[in-house]
């Protein structure tokens, strides 16, 4: 039994391991670990009190995948429900013939299953920070005047904050049956264009798990992972017989080969079916967490660095 997670998953590691050691499933472990991060007001990249979009609205993305069956569930752009990962899991488990629900549909579904809803999803501090950032960027005259018809194309490219874009939490676990599950949850880019969906709810981009080979989950600039199908790529490289470190490095190199303007910080964690793991990042100081069932506490491990030159390279500062 083993769990790996992004650095900001520390708050959920004990609870996730408790699930595994008491005979629970990898799916339960990754869900519980992720929920604790989603409820953490100090984490501004995931769940409650994440950085909002340019209109000051918090839109959450999340996905969960069951490596036994490749069943998956995901939500995107969901407002008002802090535990996006649990809603994603219900999309998978409620016999809905769908994998991904977005926006009003995701919120309707969350209401229908009685998911926990919170009236307030942002602290006053984060609302004040959003206002200040927009004012300082000069992208809009007055943040409170942003309405349904306000032009946002230029504003968002000035205001979107590369120092705050990447956060996101990843959990991957193997349980006592050898089953693998993976979970990813995020509030996405700070001050993003309304409706922007990152890699986290896209199966194959930010999240993938397959019992036969292993799993991978990403944090960082989701646009890149979507374009390179990063999480699936790692699992496909495992399927091709590569060791987990080689597979993870190869997928990072695929990201490095992407062209275009929006190239920057990316991170991934990967676990093969034997419990071998790897963490990769474009940043030199990035870490990830690992705990086996016989360990008292998780350890924090350095990620290997694969440099990706680009406009925002090395400038992202995720909590992972
Ligand atoms: N990796 C999270 C996002 O881009 O939204």
């Amino acid at each position: 039994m083993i769990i790996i997670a992004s650095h900001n998953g520390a708050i959920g590691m004990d609870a996730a391991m408790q699930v595994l050691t008491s005979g629970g499933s990898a799916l339960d472990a990754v869900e519980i670990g992720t929920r604790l991060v989603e409820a953490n007001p100090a984490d501004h990249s995931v769940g409650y009190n994440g950085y909002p979009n340019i209109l000051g609205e918090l839109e959450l993305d999340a996905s969960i995948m069951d490596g036994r069956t490749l069943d998956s569930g995901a939500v995107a752009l969901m407002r008002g429900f802090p535990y996006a990962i649990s809603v994603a899991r219900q999309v998978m488990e409620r016999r809905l013939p769908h994998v991904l629900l977005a926006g009003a549909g995701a919120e309707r579904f969350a209401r229908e299953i009685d998911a926990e809803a919170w009236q307030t999803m942002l602290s006053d501090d984060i609302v004040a920070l959003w206002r200040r950032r927009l004012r300082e960027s000069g992208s809009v005259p007055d943040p409170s005047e942003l309405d349904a018809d306000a032009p946002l194309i230029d504003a968002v490219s000035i205001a979107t904050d590369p120092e705050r874009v990447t956060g996101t939490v990843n959990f991957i676990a193997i349980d006592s049956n050898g089953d693998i599950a993976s979970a990813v949850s995020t509030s996405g880019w700070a001050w993003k264009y309304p409706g922007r969906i990152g890699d986290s709810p896209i199966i194959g981009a930010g999240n993938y798990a397959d019992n036969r080979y292993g799993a991978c989950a990403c944090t960082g600039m989701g646009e890149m992972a979507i374009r390179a199908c990063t999480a699936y790529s790692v699992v496909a490289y495992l399927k091709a017989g590569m060791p987990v470190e080689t597979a993870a490095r190869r997928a990072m190199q695929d990201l490095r080969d992407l062209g275009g303007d929006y190239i920057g910080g990316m991170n991934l964690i990967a676990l093969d079916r034997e419990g071998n793991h790897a963490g990769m990042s474009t940043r030199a100081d990035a870490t990830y967490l690992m705990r086996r069932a016989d360990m008292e506490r998780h350890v924090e491990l350095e990620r290997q660095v694969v440099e990706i030159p680009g406009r925002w390279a090395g400038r992202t500062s995720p909590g992972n």
Side-chain angles (χ1 to χ4, degrees), residues 27-28 31 35 38 62-66 71-75 78 81 83-101 105-116 183:
L27 271 175
D28 285 342
E31 181 185 0
R35 282 174 64 96
E38 289 174 331
S63 67
I64 193 162
M65 188 156 185
D66 183 347
D71 278 335
S72 315
V75 290
M78 191 173 67
F81 297 89
Y83 298 115
I85 199 65
S86 295
V87 182
R89 183 165 177 186
Q90 291 303 307
V91 171
M92 178 173 78
E93 293 191 340
R94 291 271 178 141
R95 301 182 60 80
L96 214 57
H98 309 306
V99 166
L100 168 61
L101 296 178
E107 292 155 17
R108 181 187 182 114
F109 174 78
R111 278 193 301 279
E112 195 173 334
I113 63 167
D114 285 327
E116 193 169 327

Side-chain angles (χ1 to χ4, degrees), residues 168 186 188-189 196 198-200 219-222:
T168 307
T186 191
W189 286 53
R196 177 268 183 188
D199 59 325
S200 305
T219 61
M221 286 202 178

